[in-house]
Amino acid sequence: MILVTGGCGFIGSNFVLDWLAQSSESVVNVDALTYAANPATLASVAADSRYAFERADITDRAAIDAIIAKYQPRAIVHFAAESHVDRSIHGPMDFVRTNMLGTATLLESARAHWKSMSPEAATSFRFVHVSTDEVFGSLGPTDPKFHELSQYQPNSPYSASKAGSDHLARAYFHTYGMPVMVTNCSNNYGPRQFPEKLIPLMIVNAIAGKALPIYGDGQQIRDWLYVSDHCSAIRRVLESGRAGEMYLIGGDAERANLDVVHTICAALAKFRPGADYTKQITYVTDRPGHDRRYAIDFSKIERELGWRPSESFTTGLEKTVRWYLDNDAWVKDVQSGDYKTWMERNYGARA
Ligand code: NAD
Ligand code: TYD
């Protein structure tokens, strides 16, 4: 079986659902169930004998050791992280704890497991560390896209803590020979994303008749990838990636934030006509240290592993808008916890 961490979050839950739909192999999901998790997301597979859930914090070495000893995974796919840039600006220490200390703890536990394996099992063991393009910093308008040799220049506590975790993962290959691979992906969107990130926030606010808050001038560019394409890329890396390598993953879909919000408004006007959602667009104070542009050159994974995105931004965004329209109960569920406090904290003080 394989072990995933953070499987109750956005990308992890999509990965677990896709895995169980496409593979006969079992998966154990280790998640601490922070505010970003919704265990109900995986209710459809809770009774599947190939699925197991263990609630644990990745900084807890004894708990992780016990889970690994119990399930003896042949591979680990590490999604668990604190993942929201704005939250990292308000409170960096949670990011350092989970992303750096948590990854270090998981790597140590995985190393002990890997050392205890037979030589054949140890050779085929894989640890995939899932990371972000934000570790490379910000691009100018005409700069070439990020690639595997781009310099690490993280600008936010989130990206700095992910950069630290990437370096640890890399060091475990170079120092111990543990078969680790790092993937760095651009911004994901799709079903089951917590509505504090740009795309789901704009969808749920638009439907609720609330403001659509654009930071600064809205001309910051992200390279958007539909989440199931990210999951298929990780499966390719797990199956055929070379140990010790890093693979960049992107959507070939650079869009300015303001264009993204206009596209969401147009999709909503199509599926739920009757309002001009663009009237809800509001410009608010910019995020401090806001990265201007991210873009990914994914030619390495395309060349070596035959992966490229299958969804265009137009089709992916329409699917996403439809999912949020059809899953109001899921949205209400994740908005119940500390969501209101967060919205007040992040947006209340913005002019
Ligand atoms: P998310 O915030 O939606 O989910 C994170 C999950 O990790 C949650 O279920 C949470 O409960 C769990 N978690 C957090 N701290 C934990 C801890 N200490 N121990 C155990 N579990 C813990 O995040 P996501 O958007 O699904 O991102 C998953 C991974 O992909 C992250 O590593 C992130 O850096 C990376 N990534 C995300 C994007 C994106 O656009 N969302 C893009 C590229 C890379
Ligand atoms: P986000 O979804 O937080 O992802 P990231 O910061 O990791 O790229 O934000 C995506 C872009 O949208 C980013 O440039 C910030 C911007 N943004 C807004 O303009 N308004 C908002 O309310 C949010 C949450 C984000």
Side-chain angles (χ1 to χ4, degrees):
M1 68 165 10
I2 66 160
L3 182 152
V4 306
T5 66
C8 293
F10 166 47
I11 304 172
S13 62
N14 280 283
F15 182 86
V16 168
L17 293 170
D18 286 0
W19 182 269
L20 291 171
Q22 297 183 18
S23 153
S24 55
E25 192 175 14
S26 299
V27 53
V28 55
N29 168 18
V30 180
D31 198 299
L33 302 183
T34 70
Y35 80 93
N38 184 2
T41 299
L42 291 175
S44 64
V45 295
D48 190 323
S49 59
R50 295 168 304 149
Y51 174 72
F53 174 68
E54 296 281 350
R55 183 173 189 174
D57 191 308
I58 55 165
T59 61
D60 182 343
R61 175 71 196 269
I64 300 301
D65 279 354
I67 292 166
I68 288 182
K70 180 173 168 190
Y71 293 96
Q72 297 288 317
R74 66 147 182 108
I76 294 175
V77 185
H78 176 33
F79 294 98
E82 287 291 338
S83 71
H84 189 193
V85 175
D86 291 317
R87 283 191 190 249
S88 82
I89 294 168
H90 287 275
M93 290 314 289
D94 284 346
F95 287 72
V96 173
R97 196 185 76 84
T98 285
N99 299 355
M100 296 180 68
L101 190 58
T103 300
T105 308
L106 185 67
L107 282 164
E108 270 299 87
S109 199
R111 183 165 74 92
H113 170 54
W114 171 68
K115 292 290 284 178
S116 74
M117 289 173 138
S118 69
E120 306 80 65
T123 305
S124 59
F125 179 75
R126 289 289 180 274
F127 185 109
V128 180
H129 173 65
V130 179
S131 192
T132 167
D133 60 354
E134 304 194 24
V135 296
F136 302 116
S138 186
L139 293 168
T142 57
D143 286 345
K145 297 175 177 192
F146 297 132
H147 52 83
E148 282 74 9
L149 297 177
S150 294
Q151 194 182 341
Y152 270 56
Q153 289 185 314
N155 290 323
S156 71
Y158 164 64
S159 55
S161 62
K162 288 296 291 188
S165 67
D166 291 12
H167 294 322
L168 282 165
R170 175 189 160 88
Y172 271 64
F173 173 75
H174 285 274
T175 303
Y176 304 113
M178 193 166 103
V180 174
M181 292 167 294
V182 177
T183 59
N184 297 82
C185 187
S186 59
N187 286 63
N188 284 213
Y189 68 101
R192 306 175 195 89
Q193 187 168 28
F194 196 77
E196 64 181 7
K197 303 278 175 84
L198 180 75
I199 289 181
L201 177 86
M202 295 296 168
I203 298 170
V204 304
N205 275 15
I207 302 165
K210 293 185 180 160
L212 308 180
I214 307 279
Y215 295 167
D217 63 3
Q219 293 309 313
Q220 302 82 6
I221 290 171
R222 300 292 182 263
D223 180 352
W224 294 97
L225 180 70
Y226 192 64
V227 63
S228 60
D229 278 328
H230 187 187
C231 295
S232 72
I234 293 169
R235 289 196 303 274
R236 292 294 302 134
V237 170
L238 187 59
E239 278 160 25
S240 313
R242 287 184 291 137
E245 291 294 314
M246 94 195 259
Y247 294 93
L248 265 58
I249 303 165
D252 199 14
E254 284 187 62
R255 296 282 186 287
N257 293 338
L258 192 57
D259 294 340
V260 170
V261 175
H262 275 284
T263 311
I264 292 169
C265 292
L268 280 169
K270 183 166 150 191
F271 297 135
R272 192 170 283 189
D276 179 359
Y277 298 98
T278 59
K279 289 196 174 134
Q280 292 164 232
I281 291 174
T282 316
Y283 290 87
V284 299
T285 311
D286 207 352
R287 171 189 280 172
H290 199 169
D291 285 339
R292 201 68 189 164
R293 173 177 168 237
Y294 305 141
I296 293 274
D297 171 354
F298 59 82
S299 53
K300 177 177 172 180
I301 189 171
E302 182 171 31
R303 192 175 59 249
E304 291 192 9
L305 305 180
W307 177 90
R308 56 174 300 112
S310 61
E311 205 72 58
S312 74
F313 187 66
T314 313
T315 57
L317 195 73
E318 288 207 348
K319 281 187 186 174
T320 306
V321 169
R322 284 228 69 100
W323 190 88
Y324 281 90
L325 287 173
D326 294 343
N327 288 276
D328 193 43
W330 185 93
V331 173
K332 294 263 167 352
D333 208 21
V334 297
Q335 284 176 328
S336 55
D338 93 325
Y339 189 74
K340 276 204 183 81
T341 318
W342 165 251
M343 295 305 275
E344 185 48 37
R345 193 169 171 207
N346 192 41
Y347 297 98
R350 283 179 198 268

